[in-house]
Amino acid sequence: MGYKTLELTLISAKDLKNVNLIGKMDPYVVVYLSDNPNTKQKTPVHQDAGTNPVWNYTMRFTVDEAAAYSAGKYLVFKIKHEQTFGADKELGEVLVSLKELFDGAKGKDSGAVQNLTYQVRRTILGWDWGLGCSEELLVGYCWVKPWMIFTIQDMMLALMIAALISENVVDSNCTCWVFIPS
């Protein structure tokens, strides 16, 4: 099995519960793997978005495929509202089984993006108020091969090597070693 890279795009949310008394809400999403809170990543805050924010923000997670198939492994989405004063307010959450994401990608090309809509669940005083709510989170995802992932640094290195070759500083037949951290 091994490790795979999940490329996840937080596209938008719809009909979030308005928790602001004055002005429009400033929502964002925190995403992490349920078994490792150190994997937390956050979208930018959509200032004055109100109840229908749009982020179109992409993040990546490295996932152990074998562990993903064991029970209780989820991708956790916590939707929050940024407060000017005090702690940010939680608007709701979505839990997505990693197994569901792996199974949903079977038979599809690596890198083929799938868009899914999930119902946002709210917990108030320990009670789950998710049923019957119209709040939604739209997410795009795909599993990418390691060679499909390029950072800005990777592209800059490639441009520098191409420039050196074009200036005849290095021979185009030279051997270049590229180390990819695991």
Side-chain angles (χ1 to χ4, degrees), residues 43-73:
T43 67
V45 174
H46 187 165
Q47 297 291 328
D48 296 325
T51 59
N52 297 299
V54 175
W55 299 284
N56 286 319
Y57 185 78
T58 301
M59 50 185 72
R60 290 186 181 98
F61 294 91
T62 301
V63 179
D64 179 356
E65 190 173 0
Y69 277 101
S70 56
K73 303 296 182 186

Side-chain angles (χ1 to χ4, degrees), residues 4-156:
K4 286 194 174 182
T5 299
L6 172 64
E7 185 172 276
L8 186 71
T9 301
L10 280 290
I11 300 169
S12 63
K14 182 179 128 192
D15 297 331
L16 295 176
K17 171 89 171 128
N18 190 352
V19 297
N20 239 9
L21 296 175
I22 300 171
K24 292 187 174 183
M25 291 194 308
D26 303 324
Y28 66 93
V29 184
V30 175
V31 185
Y32 60 94
L33 299 171
S34 62
D35 62 342
N36 187 356
N38 294 328
T39 60
K40 282 186 184 178
Q41 296 183 49
K42 177 184 161 215
T43 67
V45 174
H46 187 165
Q47 297 291 328
D48 296 325
T51 59
N52 297 299
V54 175
W55 299 284
N56 286 319
Y57 185 78
T58 301
M59 50 185 72
R60 290 186 181 98
F61 294 91
T62 301
V63 179
D64 179 356
E65 190 173 0
Y69 277 101
S70 56
K73 303 296 182 186
Y74 294 94
L75 199 55
V76 180
F77 300 82
K78 296 244 182 211
I79 306 168
K80 297 185 175 195
H81 161 59
E82 184 179 64
Q83 295 277 93
T84 306
F85 303 105
D88 292 354
K89 288 186 181 176
E90 191 163 315
L91 302 175
E93 75 175 14
V94 172
L95 298 177
V96 178
S97 162
L98 286 171
K99 182 182 180 314
E100 174 187 329
L101 296 180
F102 272 112
D103 289 346
K106 282 186 179 172
K108 301 211 168 46
D109 291 334
S110 183
V113 177
Q114 298 180 72
N115 291 334
L116 299 171
T117 302
Y118 294 100
Q119 184 178 18
V120 176
R121 307 194 63 86
R122 285 184 277 132
T123 304
I124 303 171
L125 300 174
W127 291 81
D128 184 354
W129 294 92
L131 298 174
C133 295
S134 62
E135 301 159 285
E136 295 178 341
L137 180 67
L138 178 58
V139 175
Y141 82 96
C142 67
W143 295 99
V144 295
K145 294 179 182 174
W147 56 265
M148 295 175 69
I149 301 169
F150 297 101
T151 64
I152 291 173
Q153 292 85 358
D154 296 332
M155 288 185 256
M156 292 300 294

Side-chain angles (χ1 to χ4, degrees), residues 142-174:
C142 67
W143 295 99
V144 295
K145 294 179 182 174
W147 56 265
M148 295 175 69
I149 301 169
F150 297 101
T151 64
I152 291 173
Q153 292 85 358
D154 296 332
M155 288 185 256
M156 292 300 294
L157 177 62
L159 289 172
M160 288 188 325
I161 292 170
L164 292 171
I165 291 170
S166 70
E167 295 294 322
N168 292 321
V169 174
V170 295
D171 184 349
S172 61
N173 294 321
C174 75

